[in-house]
Amino acid sequence: MIKNCFLNLFFPRLFEYLILCTIFANCIALAVYTPFPEHDSNAVNQTLESVEYIFIVIFTLEAVLKIVAYGYLFHAGAYLRNAWNILDFIIVVIGLVSTVLAKTITSVNGFDVKALRAFRVLRHYGWSRSA
């Protein structure tokens, strides 16, 4: 019953198109972001940092809703039984981990953890392949 409620409420075409628009907006935000040396920033980057949290919340919420609607793993049709959902899940986890790491440490041996955000572009690829 809960599964059907979530499927009917959150996964009609409109919800899917909103997520797709969010993916495109995230790609644009990633393209506009300008990395500066020595952790300097500008007003645009600071705004994009704030918007970044919105993207993370949206993508995490989408994954949670899909897990509730489809189940996690242990039956046919479950969320992690689809290769593109596995890719989405990995990208969401990378986004969460990179956000936590960015808040706790700025770089690891010269590697900027914000670079992990580039993996989110793969979400568009998964959407275009499954559409």
Side-chain angles (χ1 to χ4, degrees), residues 83-130:
W84 296 116
N85 286 340
I86 292 171
L87 177 66
D88 276 351
F89 186 74
I90 290 170
I91 292 168
V92 167
V93 169
I94 287 172
L96 292 169
V97 168
S98 68
T99 299
V100 169
L101 289 178
K103 283 296 185 186
T104 57
I105 55 176
T106 54
S107 64
V108 178
N109 293 332
F111 177 73
D112 188 0
V113 294
K114 292 178 185 175
L116 294 173
R117 295 176 184 167
F119 284 105
R120 290 198 198 144
V121 175
L122 294 174
R123 287 182 59 101
H124 168 63
Y125 182 73
W127 263 83
S128 66
R129 300 287 294 177
S130 64

Short mmCIF file of all heavy atoms in Angstrom, two decimals, residues 83-130:
data_model
loop_
_atom_site.label_atom_id
_atom_site.label_comp_id
_atom_site.label_asym_id
_atom_site.label_seq_id
_atom_site.Cartn_x
_atom_site.Cartn_y
_atom_site.Cartn_z
N ALA A 83 20.79 -0.94 -13.06
CA ALA A 83 22.16 -0.42 -13.16
C ALA A 83 22.20 1.10 -13.06
O ALA A 83 23.11 1.66 -12.44
CB ALA A 83 22.80 -0.88 -14.47
N TRP A 84 21.23 1.79 -13.66
CA TRP A 84 21.23 3.26 -13.62
C TRP A 84 20.92 3.77 -12.21
O TRP A 84 21.45 4.80 -11.79
CB TRP A 84 20.26 3.84 -14.63
CG TRP A 84 20.69 3.51 -16.02
CD1 TRP A 84 20.03 2.74 -16.92
CD2 TRP A 84 21.91 3.89 -16.67
NE1 TRP A 84 20.75 2.63 -18.08
CE2 TRP A 84 21.92 3.33 -17.95
CE3 TRP A 84 23.01 4.65 -16.28
CZ2 TRP A 84 22.96 3.50 -18.85
CZ3 TRP A 84 24.06 4.83 -17.18
CH2 TRP A 84 24.02 4.26 -18.44
N ASN A 85 20.08 3.05 -11.48
CA ASN A 85 19.82 3.43 -10.10
C ASN A 85 21.05 3.20 -9.22
O ASN A 85 21.30 3.97 -8.29
CB ASN A 85 18.62 2.67 -9.53
CG ASN A 85 17.31 3.18 -10.10
OD1 ASN A 85 17.23 4.29 -10.62
ND2 ASN A 85 16.29 2.35 -10.03
N ILE A 86 21.81 2.15 -9.52
CA ILE A 86 23.07 1.94 -8.80
C ILE A 86 24.00 3.11 -9.03
O ILE A 86 24.60 3.64 -8.10
CB ILE A 86 23.72 0.60 -9.22
CG1 ILE A 86 22.87 -0.57 -8.75
CG2 ILE A 86 25.15 0.49 -8.67
CD1 ILE A 86 23.32 -1.92 -9.30
N LEU A 87 24.10 3.54 -10.30
CA LEU A 87 24.94 4.69 -10.62
C LEU A 87 24.44 5.93 -9.88
O LEU A 87 25.24 6.66 -9.27
CB LEU A 87 24.93 4.95 -12.14
CG LEU A 87 25.70 6.17 -12.61
CD1 LEU A 87 27.19 6.02 -12.34
CD2 LEU A 87 25.44 6.42 -14.07
N ASP A 88 23.14 6.18 -9.90
CA ASP A 88 22.57 7.32 -9.18
C ASP A 88 22.88 7.25 -7.69
O ASP A 88 23.27 8.24 -7.07
CB ASP A 88 21.06 7.39 -9.36
CG ASP A 88 20.64 8.09 -10.63
OD1 ASP A 88 21.51 8.68 -11.30
OD2 ASP A 88 19.45 8.05 -10.95
N PHE A 89 22.73 6.06 -7.11
CA PHE A 89 22.97 5.88 -5.68
C PHE A 89 24.43 6.16 -5.34
O PHE A 89 24.73 6.85 -4.36
CB PHE A 89 22.57 4.46 -5.26
CG PHE A 89 22.66 4.23 -3.78
CD1 PHE A 89 21.72 4.78 -2.93
CD2 PHE A 89 23.68 3.47 -3.24
CE1 PHE A 89 21.79 4.58 -1.56
CE2 PHE A 89 23.76 3.25 -1.89
CZ PHE A 89 22.82 3.81 -1.04
N ILE A 90 25.34 5.66 -6.15
CA ILE A 90 26.77 5.90 -5.92
C ILE A 90 27.07 7.39 -6.01
O ILE A 90 27.81 7.94 -5.19
CB ILE A 90 27.63 5.09 -6.91
CG1 ILE A 90 27.53 3.60 -6.57
CG2 ILE A 90 29.08 5.55 -6.91
CD1 ILE A 90 28.13 2.68 -7.62
N ILE A 91 26.48 8.07 -6.98
CA ILE A 91 26.71 9.50 -7.15
C ILE A 91 26.15 10.28 -5.97
O ILE A 91 26.76 11.25 -5.49
CB ILE A 91 26.15 9.98 -8.50
CG1 ILE A 91 26.98 9.38 -9.63
CG2 ILE A 91 26.13 11.49 -8.58
CD1 ILE A 91 26.39 9.53 -11.00
N VAL A 92 24.98 9.88 -5.47
CA VAL A 92 24.41 10.55 -4.29
C VAL A 92 25.31 10.35 -3.09
O VAL A 92 25.60 11.29 -2.34
CB VAL A 92 22.98 10.03 -4.01
CG1 VAL A 92 22.50 10.46 -2.63
CG2 VAL A 92 22.01 10.55 -5.06
N VAL A 93 25.81 9.13 -2.90
CA VAL A 93 26.71 8.86 -1.77
C VAL A 93 28.00 9.66 -1.92
O VAL A 93 28.49 10.25 -0.94
CB VAL A 93 27.00 7.34 -1.66
CG1 VAL A 93 28.13 7.07 -0.67
CG2 VAL A 93 25.74 6.60 -1.24
N ILE A 94 28.55 9.73 -3.14
CA ILE A 94 29.76 10.54 -3.37
C ILE A 94 29.47 12.00 -3.04
O ILE A 94 30.29 12.69 -2.43
CB ILE A 94 30.25 10.39 -4.83
CG1 ILE A 94 30.89 9.01 -5.03
CG2 ILE A 94 31.25 11.49 -5.18
CD1 ILE A 94 31.24 8.70 -6.47
N GLY A 95 28.29 12.49 -3.44
CA GLY A 95 27.92 13.88 -3.14
C GLY A 95 27.84 14.14 -1.65
O GLY A 95 28.33 15.16 -1.15
N LEU A 96 27.24 13.21 -0.92
CA LEU A 96 27.14 13.36 0.54
C LEU A 96 28.51 13.30 1.19
O LEU A 96 28.84 14.12 2.06
CB LEU A 96 26.21 12.30 1.12
CG LEU A 96 24.73 12.43 0.75
CD1 LEU A 96 23.96 11.18 1.16
CD2 LEU A 96 24.13 13.67 1.37
N VAL A 97 29.33 12.34 0.76
CA VAL A 97 30.67 12.20 1.34
C VAL A 97 31.52 13.42 1.01
O VAL A 97 32.22 13.95 1.88
CB VAL A 97 31.34 10.91 0.83
CG1 VAL A 97 32.82 10.87 1.16
CG2 VAL A 97 30.63 9.69 1.42
N SER A 98 31.46 13.90 -0.23
CA SER A 98 32.28 15.07 -0.59
C SER A 98 31.84 16.31 0.17
O SER A 98 32.67 17.15 0.52
CB SER A 98 32.24 15.32 -2.10
OG SER A 98 30.97 15.74 -2.52
N THR A 99 30.55 16.43 0.45
CA THR A 99 30.06 17.58 1.23
C THR A 99 30.57 17.50 2.66
O THR A 99 31.03 18.50 3.22
CB THR A 99 28.52 17.63 1.22
OG1 THR A 99 28.11 17.77 -0.13
CG2 THR A 99 28.01 18.80 2.02
N VAL A 100 30.50 16.32 3.25
CA VAL A 100 31.00 16.15 4.62
C VAL A 100 32.50 16.40 4.66
O VAL A 100 32.99 17.11 5.55
CB VAL A 100 30.65 14.75 5.16
CG1 VAL A 100 31.39 14.45 6.45
CG2 VAL A 100 29.15 14.61 5.35
N LEU A 101 33.22 15.86 3.70
CA LEU A 101 34.68 16.07 3.67
C LEU A 101 35.02 17.54 3.43
O LEU A 101 35.97 18.06 4.02
CB LEU A 101 35.32 15.20 2.59
CG LEU A 101 35.38 13.71 2.87
CD1 LEU A 101 35.99 12.96 1.69
CD2 LEU A 101 36.16 13.42 4.14
N ALA A 102 34.27 18.21 2.55
CA ALA A 102 34.53 19.62 2.29
C ALA A 102 34.31 20.47 3.53
O ALA A 102 34.97 21.49 3.72
CB ALA A 102 33.66 20.12 1.14
N LYS A 103 33.34 20.07 4.38
CA LYS A 103 33.09 20.81 5.61
C LYS A 103 34.13 20.51 6.68
O LYS A 103 34.39 21.36 7.53
CB LYS A 103 31.69 20.49 6.15
CG LYS A 103 30.60 21.19 5.41
CD LYS A 103 30.77 22.67 5.60
CE LYS A 103 29.65 23.45 5.00
NZ LYS A 103 29.89 24.87 5.07
N THR A 104 34.69 19.32 6.66
CA THR A 104 35.63 18.94 7.72
C THR A 104 37.08 19.22 7.32
O THR A 104 37.86 19.68 8.14
CB THR A 104 35.48 17.46 8.10
OG1 THR A 104 35.66 16.66 6.93
CG2 THR A 104 34.11 17.20 8.70
N ILE A 105 37.43 18.93 6.07
CA ILE A 105 38.78 19.21 5.58
C ILE A 105 38.66 19.84 4.21
O ILE A 105 37.73 19.54 3.45
CB ILE A 105 39.65 17.94 5.51
CG1 ILE A 105 38.95 16.86 4.68
CG2 ILE A 105 39.97 17.41 6.88
CD1 ILE A 105 39.79 15.61 4.48
N THR A 106 39.56 20.70 3.86
CA THR A 106 39.47 21.38 2.57
C THR A 106 40.15 20.60 1.46
O THR A 106 39.71 20.62 0.33
CB THR A 106 40.08 22.79 2.64
OG1 THR A 106 41.41 22.69 3.15
CG2 THR A 106 39.24 23.67 3.53
N SER A 107 41.24 19.90 1.77
CA SER A 107 41.90 19.11 0.74
C SER A 107 42.66 17.96 1.39
O SER A 107 43.02 18.02 2.56
CB SER A 107 42.86 19.95 -0.10
OG SER A 107 43.90 20.45 0.70
N VAL A 108 42.85 16.92 0.60
CA VAL A 108 43.60 15.76 1.07
C VAL A 108 44.81 15.63 0.17
O VAL A 108 44.69 15.30 -1.01
CB VAL A 108 42.73 14.48 0.99
CG1 VAL A 108 43.51 13.28 1.43
CG2 VAL A 108 41.47 14.65 1.81
N ASN A 109 45.99 15.93 0.72
CA ASN A 109 47.24 15.86 -0.05
C ASN A 109 47.13 16.59 -1.39
O ASN A 109 47.49 16.07 -2.43
CB ASN A 109 47.65 14.40 -0.29
CG ASN A 109 48.02 13.71 1.00
OD1 ASN A 109 48.47 14.34 1.95
ND2 ASN A 109 47.83 12.40 1.04
N GLY A 110 46.57 17.78 -1.37
CA GLY A 110 46.46 18.60 -2.57
C GLY A 110 45.24 18.31 -3.43
O GLY A 110 45.01 18.99 -4.41
N PHE A 111 44.44 17.29 -3.10
CA PHE A 111 43.25 16.96 -3.87
C PHE A 111 42.05 17.68 -3.26
O PHE A 111 41.73 17.50 -2.10
CB PHE A 111 43.00 15.45 -3.86
CG PHE A 111 41.74 15.05 -4.58
CD1 PHE A 111 41.67 15.09 -5.96
CD2 PHE A 111 40.63 14.63 -3.87
CE1 PHE A 111 40.51 14.72 -6.62
CE2 PHE A 111 39.46 14.26 -4.52
CZ PHE A 111 39.42 14.31 -5.89
N ASP A 112 41.41 18.50 -4.04
CA ASP A 112 40.23 19.23 -3.58
C ASP A 112 39.03 18.29 -3.63
O ASP A 112 38.65 17.82 -4.71
CB ASP A 112 40.00 20.46 -4.45
CG ASP A 112 38.92 21.37 -3.92
OD1 ASP A 112 38.35 21.06 -2.86
OD2 ASP A 112 38.66 22.40 -4.55
N VAL A 113 38.42 18.02 -2.50
CA VAL A 113 37.30 17.07 -2.45
C VAL A 113 36.09 17.56 -3.24
O VAL A 113 35.23 16.76 -3.61
CB VAL A 113 36.89 16.73 -1.00
CG1 VAL A 113 38.00 15.99 -0.30
CG2 VAL A 113 36.49 17.97 -0.24
N LYS A 114 36.03 18.85 -3.54
CA LYS A 114 34.93 19.37 -4.36
C LYS A 114 34.99 18.82 -5.78
O LYS A 114 33.99 18.83 -6.49
CB LYS A 114 34.96 20.89 -4.39
CG LYS A 114 34.63 21.51 -3.05
CD LYS A 114 34.72 23.01 -3.13
CE LYS A 114 34.52 23.62 -1.76
NZ LYS A 114 34.72 25.06 -1.78
N ALA A 115 36.14 18.31 -6.18
CA ALA A 115 36.27 17.73 -7.51
C ALA A 115 35.39 16.49 -7.68
O ALA A 115 35.01 16.14 -8.80
CB ALA A 115 37.73 17.36 -7.78
N LEU A 116 35.00 15.87 -6.58
CA LEU A 116 34.12 14.71 -6.66
C LEU A 116 32.74 15.07 -7.20
O LEU A 116 32.01 14.21 -7.67
CB LEU A 116 33.98 14.06 -5.28
CG LEU A 116 35.25 13.43 -4.71
CD1 LEU A 116 35.01 12.98 -3.28
CD2 LEU A 116 35.72 12.27 -5.57
N ARG A 117 32.39 16.34 -7.15
CA ARG A 117 31.09 16.77 -7.67
C ARG A 117 30.96 16.53 -9.16
O ARG A 117 29.86 16.42 -9.69
CB ARG A 117 30.87 18.26 -7.40
CG ARG A 117 30.77 18.59 -5.96
CD ARG A 117 30.65 20.07 -5.78
NE ARG A 117 30.63 20.42 -4.39
CZ ARG A 117 30.77 21.64 -3.94
NH1 ARG A 117 30.91 22.65 -4.79
NH2 ARG A 117 30.75 21.89 -2.65
N ALA A 118 32.08 16.45 -9.85
CA ALA A 118 32.04 16.24 -11.30
C ALA A 118 31.37 14.93 -11.67
O ALA A 118 30.83 14.79 -12.77
CB ALA A 118 33.46 16.28 -11.86
N PHE A 119 31.33 13.97 -10.75
CA PHE A 119 30.66 12.70 -11.03
C PHE A 119 29.16 12.87 -11.24
O PHE A 119 28.52 12.03 -11.84
CB PHE A 119 30.91 11.70 -9.89
CG PHE A 119 32.28 11.11 -9.92
CD1 PHE A 119 33.23 11.52 -9.00
CD2 PHE A 119 32.63 10.16 -10.85
CE1 PHE A 119 34.50 10.99 -9.01
CE2 PHE A 119 33.90 9.62 -10.88
CZ PHE A 119 34.84 10.03 -9.95
N ARG A 120 28.60 13.96 -10.76
CA ARG A 120 27.15 14.17 -10.91
C ARG A 120 26.72 14.34 -12.35
O ARG A 120 25.57 14.12 -12.69
CB ARG A 120 26.71 15.38 -10.10
CG ARG A 120 26.77 15.10 -8.65
CD ARG A 120 25.95 16.11 -7.93
NE ARG A 120 26.35 16.08 -6.55
CZ ARG A 120 26.40 17.13 -5.78
NH1 ARG A 120 26.06 18.29 -6.25
NH2 ARG A 120 26.76 17.03 -4.54
N VAL A 121 27.65 14.73 -13.21
CA VAL A 121 27.33 14.85 -14.63
C VAL A 121 26.91 13.50 -15.18
O VAL A 121 26.10 13.42 -16.11
CB VAL A 121 28.54 15.43 -15.40
CG1 VAL A 121 28.29 15.47 -16.89
CG2 VAL A 121 28.87 16.82 -14.87
N LEU A 122 27.38 12.41 -14.59
CA LEU A 122 27.00 11.08 -15.04
C LEU A 122 25.52 10.81 -14.86
O LEU A 122 24.96 9.96 -15.55
CB LEU A 122 27.81 10.02 -14.28
CG LEU A 122 29.30 10.00 -14.55
CD1 LEU A 122 29.99 9.00 -13.63
CD2 LEU A 122 29.59 9.68 -16.00
N ARG A 123 24.87 11.51 -13.94
CA ARG A 123 23.42 11.33 -13.75
C ARG A 123 22.67 11.65 -15.04
O ARG A 123 21.73 10.97 -15.39
CB ARG A 123 22.90 12.21 -12.62
CG ARG A 123 23.29 11.74 -11.25
CD ARG A 123 22.69 12.65 -10.22
NE ARG A 123 21.26 12.68 -10.32
CZ ARG A 123 20.42 12.00 -9.54
NH1 ARG A 123 20.89 11.25 -8.59
NH2 ARG A 123 19.13 12.09 -9.69
N HIS A 124 23.10 12.70 -15.73
CA HIS A 124 22.47 13.05 -17.00
C HIS A 124 22.65 11.92 -18.00
O HIS A 124 21.72 11.56 -18.72
CB HIS A 124 23.06 14.35 -17.56
CG HIS A 124 22.67 14.60 -18.98
ND1 HIS A 124 21.38 14.79 -19.37
CD2 HIS A 124 23.40 14.64 -20.11
CE1 HIS A 124 21.32 14.97 -20.67
NE2 HIS A 124 22.55 14.87 -21.15
N TYR A 125 23.82 11.33 -18.04
CA TYR A 125 24.07 10.24 -18.95
C TYR A 125 23.14 9.06 -18.65
O TYR A 125 22.56 8.48 -19.54
CB TYR A 125 25.53 9.79 -18.88
CG TYR A 125 25.86 8.69 -19.85
CD1 TYR A 125 25.96 8.94 -21.21
CD2 TYR A 125 26.04 7.39 -19.39
CE1 TYR A 125 26.23 7.93 -22.09
CE2 TYR A 125 26.33 6.37 -20.29
CZ TYR A 125 26.43 6.64 -21.63
OH TYR A 125 26.70 5.64 -22.51
N GLY A 126 22.98 8.75 -17.37
CA GLY A 126 22.08 7.67 -16.99
C GLY A 126 20.64 7.96 -17.38
O GLY A 126 19.91 7.09 -17.83
N TRP A 127 20.22 9.20 -17.20
CA TRP A 127 18.85 9.57 -17.57
C TRP A 127 18.65 9.47 -19.07
O TRP A 127 17.64 8.98 -19.53
CB TRP A 127 18.57 11.00 -17.11
CG TRP A 127 17.87 11.03 -15.81
CD1 TRP A 127 18.43 10.93 -14.58
CD2 TRP A 127 16.47 11.14 -15.59
NE1 TRP A 127 17.47 10.99 -13.62
CE2 TRP A 127 16.27 11.13 -14.21
CE3 TRP A 127 15.38 11.28 -16.43
CZ2 TRP A 127 15.00 11.23 -13.65
CZ3 TRP A 127 14.13 11.38 -15.87
CH2 TRP A 127 13.95 11.35 -14.49
N SER A 128 19.62 9.95 -19.85
CA SER A 128 19.44 9.94 -21.30
C SER A 128 19.47 8.51 -21.84
O SER A 128 18.81 8.21 -22.83
CB SER A 128 20.51 10.79 -21.98
OG SER A 128 21.79 10.23 -21.80
N ARG A 129 20.19 7.62 -21.19
CA ARG A 129 20.26 6.22 -21.64
C ARG A 129 18.99 5.45 -21.27
O ARG A 129 18.60 4.54 -21.96
CB ARG A 129 21.47 5.51 -21.02
CG ARG A 129 22.78 6.15 -21.37
CD ARG A 129 23.18 5.89 -22.76
NE ARG A 129 23.42 4.45 -22.86
CZ ARG A 129 23.75 3.85 -23.98
NH1 ARG A 129 23.87 4.53 -25.06
NH2 ARG A 129 23.96 2.57 -24.01
N SER A 130 18.34 5.83 -20.14
CA SER A 130 17.17 5.07 -19.70
C SER A 130 15.87 5.65 -20.24
O SER A 130 14.82 5.06 -20.11
CB SER A 130 17.11 5.03 -18.18
OG SER A 130 16.94 6.33 -17.65
#
